[in-house]
Amino acid sequence: MEKKNLFGMCYLLEERKNFRAEEEAELLKNLGVRTIRQWMHCTYLMKDKRTFDAPRTSLMHEWLSRCKDYKMANIGLNHCNFNGGTLRWGKPARDIRRGSTYVKWLNDYYETWFALASEFPEIGVWEVDNELNNPDFLCGVNGEKIYNVEQMAEIALDVLYYASRAIHAANPASKVVLGGLTEPEGLGKGNFLRFLRVFYEKMHSGNFGYLYGKEEKSAAGRDPEQYFQIMCWHPYVWTEFDEAYFIDKNFEYYEEFTRLDGRRLPVFFTEMGFNDEGAGEKRAAERMRSFFEAAAKLPFLETVNYYKMYDVGQKDCFEGNGTYSRFGLFYDPDENRKYPTPAGLPAHNGAPKDKAFVFQDLAKGTGRLDLLLKK
């Protein structure tokens, strides 16, 4: 992807209740979107590791085609799995002994990814998992936050290796994106560098990078290319945006990554968003403008998938933190979800917010942004 693809979007089809494919694809095009991080979770598209949900799969194929017709590149994301627990993105504790629950789970994980990549050959770029250094996502199968940095790095290596093997077995030309690293308290305030150093130390140890119970340890893969081909992180900032700090910190992360990895890979920010909660809509839009202006100065960065297209007008949703999710460029288009703006006014379902107009201006998009307002 070229630098012209800086402006991307996160799109969650499975969240949509009154999906309007034609208008929503046109809306993305009008915004100036160039790449779309499509949530394509196996637990939404599949009934088990081999069986697809036919209506949902058909709808996803149709949606991907519409986006492609508008010359938007699709990035497929799956950070879920069939783990037998209560949290669909949890992972069992690592135990590579033959016949262990963990090894059986990894074998199922391989089959699931092979099935996804085979069913969707139109996806040439797959993001494997999400925030692999974040205990909110790399946790136990029932959501238990039980893994330390070393354990997260070990499981992350297995996840990336098995998925990459499966994806390339189905489609050798595919690219794998490392499921974006992050720091939940904000850029520079977490375990990013520590995780990265442990991750590569273990990768180069010769104890990872082979199919446990099926291949000999002598086959262990120490080459980072066997795990992923595109680097990725989520540089969230929860305070006032400081351009100099943001640029310096991301350069620091990239240089340390290249030192450890040996490759100078392109970087995707597959998530980065600004919550209206607390900041208010106008301030959040100003922060977003400052962010994209800074991001354009990072030569290694190829695309940013803004999180996200729509608010979620449901109290206590996953990222609501006790209130509503107000990351969206648009108010939640589901007319059954009545919720207030941060100012206490009724949210106008489907209407563009200040951030939508700022995004369109920066991305040099053109066209109406009111396509989802009730006709």
Side-chain angles (χ1 to χ4, degrees), residues 29-324:
K29 183 268 295 182
N30 290 355
L31 281 166
V33 168
R34 297 291 185 271
T35 72
I36 307 179
R37 187 199 198 203
Q38 305 277 11
W39 261 244
M40 298 177 64
H41 294 328
C42 61
T43 49
Y44 171 73
L45 293 168
M46 303 173 73
K47 298 178 180 180
D48 56 47
K49 63 184 179 181
R50 297 190 186 96
T51 312
F52 283 86
D53 181 298
R56 289 177 175 180
T57 301
S58 177
L59 182 62
M60 182 61 76
H61 281 296
E62 177 191 348
W63 173 240
L64 295 173
S65 178
R66 283 183 181 275
C67 294
K68 183 180 178 182
D69 286 346
Y70 278 123
K71 304 201 181 328
M72 294 181 283
N74 293 307
I75 302 166
L77 163 70
N78 171 42
H79 71 75
C80 295
N81 62 87
F82 299 105
N83 59 37
T86 59
L87 190 68
R88 59 183 181 156
W89 55 77
K91 284 89 172 166
R94 189 171 189 270
D95 175 3
I96 64 170
R97 291 175 295 181
R98 186 187 299 271
S100 69
T101 297
Y102 182 76
V103 169
K104 290 177 182 177
W105 172 77
L106 279 176
N107 290 335
D108 288 349
Y109 191 71
Y110 178 102
E111 286 195 52
T112 301
W113 269 108
F114 181 81
L116 273 175
S118 298
E119 174 63 34
F120 292 97
E122 63 266 48
I123 295 291
V125 178
W126 286 101
E127 185 175 3
V128 172
D129 219 277
N130 180 63
E131 299 188 354
L132 289 163
N133 65 329
N134 181 355
D136 288 338
F137 289 97
L138 213 157
C139 54
V141 298
N142 298 309
E144 313 95 321
K145 296 183 181 181
I146 54 176
Y147 303 132
N148 59 31
V149 168
E150 287 208 357
Q151 291 167 321
M152 287 194 289
E154 290 173 349
I155 295 172
L157 283 165
D158 290 338
V159 161
L160 287 164
Y161 184 79
Y162 272 70
S164 185
R165 281 276 297 260
I167 291 165
H168 288 107
N171 183 358
S174 291
K175 299 286 187 183
V176 169
V177 182
L178 180 146
L181 305 182
T182 197
E183 293 170 297
E185 299 303 315
L187 181 68
K189 299 178 180 179
N191 66 15
F192 188 103
L193 290 177
R194 183 180 169 210
F195 176 90
L196 208 60
R197 289 162 185 158
V198 172
F199 178 84
Y200 280 100
E201 179 183 355
K202 291 183 178 292
M203 181 192 293
H204 298 313
S205 71
N207 295 320
F208 297 82
Y210 64 102
L211 302 180
Y212 306 125
K214 297 182 178 181
E215 297 176 343
E216 296 299 322
K217 187 177 177 181
S218 59
R222 293 179 172 87
D223 183 355
E225 188 74 10
Q226 296 175 282
Y227 295 84
F228 64 96
Q229 296 82 51
I230 297 170
M231 184 52 175
C232 176
W233 62 87
H234 302 161
Y236 281 105
V237 176
W238 305 118
T239 57
E240 288 301 316
F241 192 84
D242 183 330
E243 179 179 286
Y245 175 83
F246 180 84
I247 291 174
D248 288 347
K249 185 59 65 174
N250 280 288
F251 265 106
E252 177 188 354
Y253 285 0
Y254 188 71
E255 290 307 314
E256 182 65 357
F257 156 69
T258 58
R259 183 186 74 80
L260 294 165
D261 186 278
R263 298 173 294 172
R264 298 195 73 84
L265 294 182
V267 172
F268 290 3
F269 291 169
T270 54
E271 276 185 37
M272 179 58 185
F274 294 89
N275 195 344
D276 300 337
E277 193 66 33
E281 293 183 6
K282 290 190 180 300
R283 180 63 62 83
E286 291 169 2
R287 290 177 178 177
M288 188 180 75
R289 180 182 291 278
S290 297
F291 159 74
F292 273 110
E293 289 172 349
K297 298 175 183 178
L298 299 175
F300 49 81
L301 179 64
E302 292 205 1
T303 196
V304 175
N305 298 106
Y306 180 80
Y307 189 84
K308 56 188 180 174
M309 185 79 166
Y310 306 119
D311 282 358
V312 180
Q314 289 180 307
K315 197 75 177 287
D316 298 322
C317 61
F318 178 73
E319 70 266 25
N321 295 321
T323 180
Y324 302 92

